[in-house]
Amino acid sequence: GAGVSQSPSNKVTEKGKDVELRCDPISGHTALYWYRQSLGQGLEFLIYFQGNSAPDKSGLPSDRFSAERTGGSVSTLTIQRTQQEDSAVYLCASSFRTGENEKLFFGSGTQLSVL
Amino acid sequence: AQTVTQSQPEMSVQEAETVTLSCTYDTSESDYYLFWYKQPPSRQMILVIRQEAYKQQNATENRFSVNFQKAAKSFSLKISDSQLGDAAMYFCAYFPGQGDYKLSFGAGTTVTVRA
């Protein structure tokens, strides 16, 4: 696609429910990143994919968070048993190769609100 | 994780005037990259300017320029001739390079432009 696409744009859920956030990177981009932006905070690294592999999951806050990437393209971030502190904007970014931060393209994020 | 500090939560500037945003960071590396990103209400992060630490010359992109003080670990952004479209949140980010892939972000500075 022309840019990094994220869906849904906004998600409101009840505490305890599971949610799935989707990221569709730019075609051909092998590296994909998930960041979380809490209110009044900078972006916090969550996980990074090179192809379908996730070499570093150390940024995931708890075992309620998981992510996968299939076909070297679409990625899904899943949050199980959501808590109020999970409320944040979840941003996805992609680049052609790992470490090309000057060529890193961001999506518009998913605003997650847990009531 | 590297620490990036933006000490100004909010800045206001008159249209056509100049505003400077401050950023300091902590690292023991000698070679790295620094970035300023702009985040408008659309939430999409847009790269404004980048600086390689090995370059002494300050980066410039049209009305945007930086003052990079390596010894002081300071990386400020100057926006000249401010325009209404410059209103956004600005994030300073650090990238170590050398095979690493994580950006470390500051907490951001909200810039308001007065007409």
Side-chain angles (χ1 to χ4, degrees), chain B residues 1-102:
Chain B
Q2 306 301 326
T3 302
V4 179
T5 302
Q6 293 179 248
S7 59
Q8 305 152 314
E10 298 179 357
M11 293 288 282
S12 181
V13 61
Q14 187 73 36
E15 196 176 7
E17 298 293 310
T18 295
V19 64
T20 299
L21 310 183
S22 66
C23 172
T24 59
Y25 57 94
D26 181 34
T27 185
S28 57
E29 302 292 334
S30 59
D31 198 14
Y32 47 88
Y33 300 82
L34 296 163
F35 302 87
W36 279 98
Y37 281 91
K38 172 184 178 181
Q39 187 182 42
S42 68
R43 299 196 302 242
Q44 189 173 33
M45 300 284 280
I46 302 166
L47 179 64
V48 174
I49 199 166
R50 61 170 279 181
Q51 174 81 43
E52 291 96 336
Y54 65 86
K55 291 186 177 179
Q56 292 185 338
Q57 186 172 8
N58 289 321
T60 299
E61 287 288 342
N62 301 313
R63 297 181 294 105
F64 299 86
S65 61
V66 299
N67 183 4
F68 174 48
Q69 300 291 326
K70 191 173 184 178
K73 297 179 184 175
S74 171
F75 183 59
S76 62
L77 174 70
K78 185 170 78 173
I79 307 173
S80 303
D81 186 25
S82 297
Q83 301 176 359
L84 295 177
D86 296 333
M89 196 152 187
Y90 288 80
F91 291 94
C92 177
Y94 168 95
F95 176 61
Q98 291 133 21
D100 205 332
Y101 42 81
K102 301 177 190 175

Side-chain angles (χ1 to χ4, degrees), chain A residues 6-41:
Chain A
Q6 291 189 248
S7 61
S9 178
N10 294 282
K11 176 71 176 179
V12 180
T13 191
E14 294 179 350
K15 179 181 173 181
K17 300 283 190 183
D18 297 352
V19 295
E20 287 189 349
L21 312 180
R22 176 187 169 106
C23 172
D24 199 343
I26 292 173
S27 178
H29 280 196
T30 61
L32 185 148
Y33 311 78
W34 283 98
Y35 286 86
R36 179 169 73 172
Q37 183 179 14
S38 302
L39 188 63
Q41 304 287 322

Side-chain angles (χ1 to χ4, degrees), chain A:
Chain A
V4 178
S5 178
Q6 291 189 248
S7 61
S9 178
N10 294 282
K11 176 71 176 179
V12 180
T13 191
E14 294 179 350
K15 179 181 173 181
K17 300 283 190 183
D18 297 352
V19 295
E20 287 189 349
L21 312 180
R22 176 187 169 106
C23 172
D24 199 343
I26 292 173
S27 178
H29 280 196
T30 61
L32 185 148
Y33 311 78
W34 283 98
Y35 286 86
R36 179 169 73 172
Q37 183 179 14
S38 302
L39 188 63
Q41 304 287 322
L43 278 68
E44 170 192 15
F45 170 82
L46 295 179
I47 188 170
Y48 140 75
F49 286 92
Q50 178 58 42
N52 292 334
S53 301
D56 188 348
K57 306 178 182 179
S58 63
L60 295 177
S62 74
D63 59 7
R64 296 187 295 104
F65 288 72
S66 63
E68 65 174 10
R69 188 179 185 193
T70 56
S73 180
V74 173
S75 177
T76 302
L77 177 68
T78 301
I79 309 174
Q80 295 179 310
R81 304 180 302 281
T82 52
Q83 302 295 313
Q84 289 182 334
E85 61 263 29
D86 299 335
S87 297
V89 175
Y90 290 82
L91 287 162
C92 175
S94 71
S95 63
F96 184 68
R97 279 190 296 266
T98 302
E100 287 190 334
N101 282 289
E102 68 274 24
K103 300 173 187 174
L104 191 64
F105 294 86
F106 282 84
S108 295
T110 294
Q111 172 77 63
L112 176 65
S113 300
V114 182
L115 304 180

